Amino acid sequence: MRVALFVTCLADAMFPDVGRATVAVLERLGVEVVFPPGQTCCGQMHVNTGYQRQAAKLVRNHVDVFEPYDYVVAPSGSCVGSVRHQHAMVARNAGDAGLADRAQSVATRTYELSEFLIDVLGVEDVGAAYPHRVTYHPTCHSLRMLRVGDKPLRLLRHVRGLDLVELPDADQCCGFGGTFAVKNADTSTAMLADKMRSVLSTRAEAVCAGDSSCLMHIGGGLSRLRTGVRPIHLAEILASTGSAG
Amino acid sequence: MSQTFLGMPHAPAGVGHLHGDRPFPDAARDALANTQLRRNLGHATATIRAKRASVVGELDDWEELRLAGEALKAYTMAHLDRLLPQLEAAVTARGGVVHWARDATEANQIVVDLVRATGTDEVVKVKSMATAEIGLNEALAAAGIAAVETDLAELIVQLGHDEPSHILVPAIHRNRAEIREIFLREMPGVDPELTDEPRRLAMAARAHLRAKFLTTKVAISGANFGIAETGTITVVESEGNGRMCLTLPDTLITVMGIEKVVPTWTDLEVFLQLLPRSSTGERMNPYTSTWTGVTPGDGPQTFHLVLVDNGRTAVLADPAGRSALHCIRCSACLNVCPVYERAGGHAYGSVYPGPIGAVLTPQLTGAATSLPYASSLCGACFDACPVRIDIPSMLVHLRSTQPHPATERAAFEAVAWTMASAGRFRLGERLLRLGRLIARRGRIRRLPPPLSAWTDTRDLPAPPQQTFRDWWSAR
Amino acid sequence: MSARDDILARIHAANTGIAAPPVPRDYRRTGTHAPGDAELLELFTDRLVDYKATVVPCTPATLAATLADICRDWTVVVPAGSASSVPGAVVDDGLSYAQLDALDAVLTGCAAACAETGTIALDAGPDQGRRAVTLIPDRHICVVRADQVVHTVPELLARLDPTRPLTFISGPSATSDIELHRVEGVHGPRTLIVVLVTLSGGLRRRA
């Protein structure tokens, strides 16, 4: 099986380990991974900040790049959410009905990593080992836009050595919300403070999520407070096979 | 939007309570600094969330009810120009009088004239979002008419010279100790030994209002539903102050937004299940009253229904925003919203706070506002909404209709230009790597404005040595 | 142009090109229990008690004695067309609000009831009287016949005539306005006693 990796602009530029881990997990399961080099950004930040017109060219680029593939996989619930729930709308609002149809077609073939592993490959045990105490934060877009449900948890429960501790008030937003974190920094920080309190109460060594963006936010707060709790992407845990990490 | 839908006037500024005077982030900052307020809000919203989840879980057809509610509202809005005259005809046939008001100013004038015609200078009021929206109490006061709020929370707000902060529980920002202080200070003849036990506080309100209910000649209410088929008006409440106002006075004046119409009596079966479970987390609220025009020998013998537009038709004219009118004012979206829970209702500067307020208020007023940005787009509001209003998508839509700051626009234009081509994006990533120069031990701790809003409380990781795509090409 | 014509014209313009999909009615419209079914009465009782009403079961034969016992220390008003009464009851022949306020309790029947929500519906019929009578006295004793109890809200509404003034009552008056804590008894009757009449008896008194 051949899969196009949509690494996302954030992982590409800031968290390349997440991309490498996604490749490692998929290849371990016998999937052929290709990286279409024309890819850039899904445009979600533009759409969500009110720049739909500007986002239209990003949608066009995304559709052009990923249209040839039967499967597109991304290590981000949020970016997949944008592809599925925003791309066709942005194209329609830009007056390009043809692009909207093509975007819809790409969207139906685009999967968030845990969805792809469980729904397409039918795998829950990816052969990972990660002997650490970990708590899982279900990011809002994975939870409520994609409805991934407990798929990430099912994957984590099969990771050898992993001590999975439940996060209190797990479904509460961490306060990231893209430019919300800057435009409403005080409210965002108050939400982050409560999320960090929940994370710290679990006494986990690491907080795991399926989105680099939310992890950058939670991790940024945990780092500022010098808590020693590290953020880790779901893909990185699933790629891990030993005690390193 | 106002330029797109010419001829659909918005709610006027300078009257009523829709136009806030401060940007949301500024008002929220003050609320966040008030630790007592945050505790009160956190406690109250957590309590109501748990109650709602429990009673919603009892119904195995909850999703089917939501789908029916959503479709009924869409049907109603699509046929509003037929349903409203039908409602008017049915009310009139049963002895009621129907009035139409284009906006808040017109609605207030109608009500003031109706009250004046009765010769009274005091009215009792049932809690009503519509009358709060149009600023009716202020209009009545200007005409020398005292309006007594009879809902416990509205009474707390009125006696505390305060503003409501929640659709359902307007005094949610107050705790019992604060309420006791307000009663001791402002309630004539109150027992000086009053404690802060909620039961004792409720009984003080009962005693305070009893004489008013039995003697006041004119009452003013809102309406939860107006049934076009039969002309039946419905008020859903808990305390019995509604029944008192709707039953005992000689004259009843009901102010109703035009979107509150429900096609048939049978359709009420959907909303009477959705509303109480979503709002107070009860299987059914203690009291629901319905009346149709005037009933000889029972209740007010004069009934006026004032139908108010006040910007609603402007909302209706935006296909991507009109479903904000589907709101049945349950406030479930407030109670699940992480932003509302921290910032509180006052920060929204409107009688409609929370997620629904962030989409409804800007559309009613047509004014530039920071409200559509008062959300992290977490989506909890959509899941809680009993009529499935897609608030997150509507927030995104409204953000695209707002004017943007020039520097921000330039930055987003530049980023979009860069990101539209992989070659330019790759160059951009190289530039980003310069960020490593300001990092210490892999962390960036201070950035210039506006990004300082991030680094004030959060570190940023240093950009990596090698991007993913560089690694991929090298492998 | 009148405000009415103006608003209707605005709506008409705003709705151009708008079509609404059909309304799905896949929710439960009829319950799993027939009206008056024993399990349904148990559910009804549970719901009432949960909202701090008192439920007193009886049979047609014991109704009069049951009511007399409940009301023995109270001055009671009954609607002019009431089927039930108690010794010494005052009949409402147009009492003033002040006179109603001076009485201890009101005794009425009901139009229908809903088990799932613990709701009693009054339609101002002869045995229920005008709305003021069931509102001003501090205690409401309401006689509900088993066959008046339906399972679901849709079944309840189907039994009612919307052109009559209706009052739906679910437990005594209550507020949640202080810290979202429910307090029973504000402006309406602070005590609600439901006398549930079944042919067979067999239910127990609960409060």
Side-chain angles (χ1 to χ4, degrees):
Chain A
M1 182 187 284
R2 189 154 165 270
V3 159
L5 172 67
F6 165 37
V7 75
T8 77
C9 64
L10 187 64
D12 185 9
M14 292 292 290
F15 303 100
D17 290 349
V18 173
R20 287 203 285 263
T22 308
V23 174
V25 175
L26 292 172
E27 289 184 345
R28 188 197 301 148
L29 296 170
V31 174
E32 183 196 343
V33 181
V34 293
F35 177 77
Q39 65 181 283
T40 59
C41 165
C42 67
Q44 178 178 209
M45 190 174 74
H46 281 79
V47 175
N48 286 356
T49 313
Y51 295 93
Q52 278 198 40
R53 193 173 52 75
Q54 292 81 350
K57 44 190 149 192
L58 302 183
V59 171
R60 185 167 293 113
N61 181 66
H62 186 91
V63 171
D64 286 344
V65 167
F66 287 103
E67 200 168 32
Y69 301 95
D70 292 334
Y71 296 101
V72 180
V73 175
S76 163
S78 196
C79 302
V80 172
S82 177
V83 168
R84 257 188 230 166
H85 295 283
Q86 295 184 332
H87 274 193
M89 172 198 75
V90 169
R92 253 194 322 275
N93 290 348
D96 193 340
L99 179 63
D101 289 346
R102 291 168 59 211
Q104 199 52 49
S105 164
V106 171
T108 59
R109 289 175 271 136
T110 303
Y111 299 85
E112 181 271 340
L113 178 62
S114 72
E115 290 178 329
F116 183 77
L117 294 175
I118 289 188
D119 295 344
V120 180
L121 296 186
V123 178
E124 291 196 8
D125 185 345
V126 300
Y130 191 75
H132 297 282
R133 187 175 170 89
V134 173
T135 191
Y136 173 76
H137 167 63
T139 61
C140 298
H141 290 177
S142 295
L143 196 65
R144 287 181 278 259
M145 243 173 148
L146 301 186
R147 313 266 173 206
V148 302
D150 66 349
K151 284 166 200 165
L153 289 170
R154 278 152 64 192
L155 293 164
L156 287 172
R157 285 191 196 110
H158 285 89
V159 174
R160 273 163 277 293
L162 187 113
D163 178 12
L164 186 63
V165 276
E166 195 182 327
L167 181 67
D169 299 321
D171 62 354
Q172 292 280 309
C173 178
C174 74
F176 173 61
T179 43
F180 172 79
V182 173
K183 282 179 179 283
N184 279 284
D186 299 277
T187 307
S188 166
T189 296
M191 289 159 68
L192 175 60
D194 290 341
K195 182 56 70 182
M196 289 196 293
R197 193 170 305 124
S198 295
V199 169
L200 294 176
S201 79
T202 65
R203 295 166 52 183
E205 300 161 67
V207 53
C208 170
D211 266 292
S212 301
S213 51
C214 308
L215 280 175
M216 180 172 75
H217 189 239
I218 300 171
L222 291 169
S223 162
R224 176 60 54 92
L225 297 182
R226 300 177 189 280
T227 59
V229 180
R230 64 183 179 278
I232 187 162
H233 193 283
L234 176 67
E236 295 176 280
I237 290 183
L238 299 182
S240 175
T241 49
S243 55
Chain B
M1 294 207 330
S2 44
Q3 64 273 25
T4 319
F5 305 111
L6 278 175
M8 302 290 176
H10 291 96
V15 55
H17 300 279
L18 287 174
H19 295 262
D21 49 9
R22 298 175 70 194
F24 182 87
D26 293 353
R29 190 173 305 122
D30 291 352
L32 286 160
N34 183 341
T35 51
Q36 182 66 62
L37 173 67
R38 277 179 71 184
R39 259 201 304 275
N40 294 352
L41 274 172
H43 170 73
T45 51
T47 303
I48 192 81
R49 279 201 299 271
K51 284 176 72 177
R52 176 193 166 276
S54 150
V55 297
V56 163
E58 281 178 8
L59 291 189
D60 55 16
D61 61 344
W62 184 250
E63 287 311 313
E64 287 76 13
L65 282 166
R66 288 179 80 212
L67 287 165
E70 176 186 31
L72 271 170
K73 282 295 181 182
Y75 175 91
T76 302
M77 297 313 143
H79 297 94
L80 211 49
D81 54 353
R82 173 173 61 76
L83 295 172
L84 285 167
Q86 192 188 1
L87 173 73
E88 176 188 42
V91 170
T92 308
R94 303 273 308 180
V97 185
V98 177
H99 311 259
W100 300 70
R102 295 180 186 87
D103 59 26
T105 312
E106 214 165 67
N108 287 334
Q109 193 57 51
I110 290 168
V111 177
V112 165
D113 290 345
L114 289 171
V115 176
R116 274 198 175 132
T118 67
T120 188
D121 59 2
E122 183 173 84
V123 298
V124 284
K125 276 190 73 204
V126 200
K127 180 171 114 57
S128 133
M129 296 308 297
T131 62
E133 173 193 321
I134 63 176
L136 179 61
N137 287 8
E138 290 83 347
L140 289 169
I145 299 158
V148 179
E149 291 291 352
T150 62
D151 171 77
L152 178 53
E154 288 284 357
L155 181 70
I156 294 164
V157 167
Q158 194 175 43
L159 291 177
H161 310 289
D162 199 358
E163 296 289 334
S165 67
H166 189 278
I167 289 172
L168 180 78
V169 201
I172 197 169
H173 56 292
R174 298 289 197 186
N175 64 27
R176 59 185 75 185
E178 293 171 309
I179 295 166
R180 172 179 174 269
E181 278 172 33
I182 291 169
F183 280 14
L184 285 176
R185 195 173 63 233
E186 302 281 344
M187 194 181 268
V190 74
D191 176 5
E193 303 293 301
L194 184 68
T195 69
D196 68 1
E197 191 200 336
R199 163 163 297 280
R200 293 282 305 274
L201 295 168
M203 290 311 107
R206 177 186 174 97
H208 172 69
L209 289 172
R210 192 79 176 175
K212 293 243 186 275
F213 285 135
L214 299 184
T215 56
T216 307
K217 298 298 178 199
V218 179
I220 295 172
S221 85
N224 290 98
F225 309 104
I227 295 155
E229 175 191 35
T230 56
T232 306
I233 309 297
T234 306
V235 164
V236 172
E237 53 129 357
S238 295
E239 295 168 9
N241 62 308
R243 291 177 71 190
M244 292 280 178
C245 293
L246 302 170
T247 309
L248 303 184
D250 301 333
T251 300
L252 172 62
I253 303 166
T254 296
V255 179
M256 177 179 134
I258 53 172
E259 82 283 20
K260 292 282 178 184
V261 67
V262 169
T264 70
W265 172 250
T266 303
D267 297 330
L268 193 62
E269 70 192 22
V270 174
F271 298 113
L272 272 192
Q273 296 191 74
L274 290 173
L275 179 55
R277 288 181 201 257
S278 300
S279 55
T280 49
E282 292 165 311
R283 298 181 190 101
M284 189 64 85
N285 50 291
Y287 296 139
T288 296
S289 296
T290 78
W291 69 98
T292 308
V294 169
T295 305
D298 189 344
Q301 296 300 294
T302 305
F303 170 57
H304 296 278
L305 178 65
V306 184
L307 299 171
V308 183
D309 181 345
N310 204 37
R312 283 159 177 76
T313 46
V315 184
L316 200 65
D318 181 356
R322 59 190 274 147
S323 67
L325 294 176
H326 297 185
C327 175
I328 57 173
R329 310 284 188 261
C330 72
S331 68
C333 65
L334 278 62
N335 301 325
V336 300
C337 177
V339 174
Y340 175 87
E341 184 180 336
R342 272 92 184 173
H346 293 152
Y348 295 80
S350 159
V351 288
Y352 304 114
I356 189 64
V359 294
L360 185 57
T361 303
Q363 296 197 82
L364 288 173
T365 64
T369 167
S370 54
L371 284 178
Y373 292 94
S375 165
S376 66
L377 302 178
C378 83
C381 49
F382 172 67
D383 282 7
C385 177
V387 292
R388 294 170 44 88
I389 301 172
D390 188 353
I391 296 175
S393 295
M394 208 181 295
L395 287 164
V396 168
H397 162 66
L398 292 175
R399 290 175 185 187
S400 74
T401 69
Q402 292 295 320
H404 299 296
T407 47
E408 182 194 278
R409 174 177 288 278
F412 272 80
E413 294 274 8
V415 171
W417 181 80
T418 308
M419 296 271 208
S421 118
R424 290 197 292 266
F425 179 52
R426 192 168 187 157
L427 283 175
E429 288 183 321
R430 298 240 159 95
L431 276 176
L432 191 66
R433 213 172 297 163
L434 293 175
R436 295 178 65 79
L437 297 175
I438 55 167
R440 297 275 178 280
R441 283 190 223 93
R443 299 277 137 191
I444 297 170
R445 300 177 64 87
R446 187 187 278 173
L447 284 170
L451 295 176
S452 56
W454 177 283
T455 48
D456 281 348
T457 54
R458 295 153 287 210
D459 290 346
L460 205 61
Q465 284 277 16
Q466 188 184 36
T467 63
F468 175 82
R469 70 180 62 219
D470 286 347
W471 171 79
W472 179 271
S473 343
R475 115 178 165 132
Chain C
M1 209 186 221
S2 71
R4 178 186 191 275
D5 294 346
D6 223 356
I7 292 169
L8 289 174
R10 290 177 192 172
I11 294 168
H12 191 72
N15 274 340
T16 304
I18 297 287
V23 176
R25 304 265 184 188
D26 302 326
Y27 57 89
R28 279 183 307 132
R29 306 192 74 179
T30 49
T32 44
H33 300 284
D37 168 296
E39 274 184 62
L40 199 59
L41 298 182
E42 280 292 350
L43 179 66
F44 182 50
T45 304
D46 278 347
R47 296 305 195 232
L48 283 166
V49 170
D50 194 26
Y51 286 151
K52 305 291 187 284
T54 300
V55 182
V56 184
C58 69
T59 64
T62 60
L63 174 62
T66 302
L67 292 175
D69 184 45
I70 291 169
C71 299
R72 72 177 170 268
D73 297 328
W74 298 331
T75 54
V76 175
V77 58
V78 294
S82 181
S84 312
S85 192
V86 289
V90 180
V91 174
D92 174 40
D93 54 2
L95 298 172
S96 71
Y97 297 158
Q99 286 171 310
L100 286 171
D101 198 30
L103 294 165
D104 294 322
V106 57
L107 168 64
T108 71
C110 74
C114 171
E116 190 162 73
T117 57
T119 303
I120 292 161
L122 308 179
D123 71 356
D127 63 339
Q128 298 150 57
R130 59 190 172 123
R131 286 171 287 169
V133 177
T134 42
L135 175 60
I136 297 177
D138 201 10
R139 301 172 186 86
H140 184 183
I141 300 106
C142 187
V143 178
V144 180
R145 293 192 324 269
D147 64 356
Q148 291 181 307
V149 183
V150 297
H151 192 169
T152 64
V153 171
E155 291 169 290
L156 176 70
L157 293 196
R159 284 200 172 200
L160 298 167
D161 174 359
T163 61
R164 303 185 64 85
L166 302 174
T167 306
F168 298 82
I169 298 173
S170 307
S173 156
T175 184
S176 300
D177 280 349
I178 302 168
E179 298 180 10
L180 259 312
H181 280 294
R182 190 181 160 105
V183 174
E184 281 80 18
V186 195
H187 301 295
R190 286 181 287 189
T191 302
L192 175 66
I193 301 172
V194 174
V195 178
L196 188 53
V197 189
T198 63
L199 292 175
S200 54
L203 292 166
R204 61 202 166 77
R205 181 190 170 110
R206 288 173 63 190

